[in-house]
Amino acid sequence: MKETKTEAISSAILCILSGLVLCIFNVSILTTITRVIGCIFLVIAILFLYTYFKKRNSTTLTTLVLGIFLLSVGLYMSFDPRKFISIVPILVGILLIINSLSHFQKVLLLKDNGFEQWKVNLAGAIFILVVGIVLLMKPVQSLNFIFSLTGSFLVLNGILIFLNQYFIQKTNL
């Protein structure tokens, strides 16, 4: 029982600290991670280009194309990470809008076939559409909200772990 208590307390502390980091730093963490990955891509690109031009082991263009691709993505990620990060919510927003349009079609089919709960499905399709539009229009701000929400849930989870451990310990005494 001693190990379980220690594991619960350490996981609670880890959840709370992770949640606070996500709430406080938000996109700056993602920006730093993107920069680091961009630098790694730059190193790999330089190795590919060095191998292609200096060693001349390969006669195919794969190494050259991959090196140039990684070089351009690495430069973009390293020098403008916020724009690179903003691409992800935009793509998700486009997918959600397309998904909501598909849901609208299904809602119309449900209505035509006399399904009584079609209005609930319509509300869900409208919600998906609104989320997609928000992600499309405010990508970085959406990420801030998602990070804050995730961080808040992690802090709440850590507090609940502490409380559960307290009540378990109290009932075992």
Side-chain angles (χ1 to χ4, degrees):
M1 190 70 171
K2 194 78 165 160
E3 289 177 358
T4 309
K5 178 183 174 186
T6 306
E7 289 172 5
I9 291 173
S10 59
S11 69
I13 292 171
L14 184 65
C15 279
I16 291 172
L17 290 177
S18 301
L20 289 174
V21 166
L22 284 177
C23 285
I24 294 169
F25 295 110
N26 284 342
V27 176
S28 62
I29 290 174
L30 197 56
T31 303
T32 304
I33 291 170
T34 303
R35 277 202 170 110
V36 168
I37 292 171
C39 290
I40 292 170
F41 281 0
L42 288 174
V43 169
I44 294 170
I46 290 168
L47 290 173
F48 276 135
L49 294 173
Y50 174 80
T51 302
Y52 184 79
F53 287 112
K54 189 69 176 169
K55 294 210 174 192
R56 296 183 193 102
N57 290 344
S58 177
T59 57
T60 65
L61 291 177
T62 308
T63 309
L64 177 65
V65 170
L66 197 55
I68 291 172
F69 175 76
L70 287 174
L71 181 68
S72 50
V73 170
L75 286 171
Y76 191 59
M77 289 173 76
S78 297
F79 292 112
D80 203 356
R82 287 183 79 82
K83 276 191 182 175
F84 186 82
I85 291 168
S86 70
I87 291 172
V88 175
I90 290 171
L91 292 175
V92 172
I94 291 169
L95 289 174
L96 286 176
I97 290 170
I98 292 169
N99 191 347
S100 70
L101 295 175
S102 170
H103 280 295
F104 279 122
Q105 179 70 13
K106 291 175 187 172
V107 166
L108 293 174
L109 287 171
L110 290 173
K111 181 183 176 195
D112 292 343
N113 289 318
F115 186 67
E116 294 177 18
Q117 300 293 328
W118 69 271
K119 290 180 183 177
V120 174
N121 290 333
L122 178 64
I126 292 171
F127 178 73
I128 292 171
L129 179 65
V130 169
V131 170
I133 291 171
V134 168
L135 285 174
L136 198 60
M137 297 300 172
K138 304 266 186 192
V140 175
Q141 293 87 345
S142 301
L143 282 176
N144 277 330
F145 175 72
I146 291 167
F147 272 88
S148 296
L149 190 63
T150 304
S152 300
F153 281 126
L154 281 171
V155 169
L156 181 65
N157 186 37
I159 291 169
L160 289 174
I161 292 171
F162 267 131
L163 289 174
N164 286 339
Q165 186 59 37
Y166 171 76
F167 289 125
I168 288 172
Q169 190 174 9
K170 190 175 179 179
T171 57
N172 285 339
L173 292 177

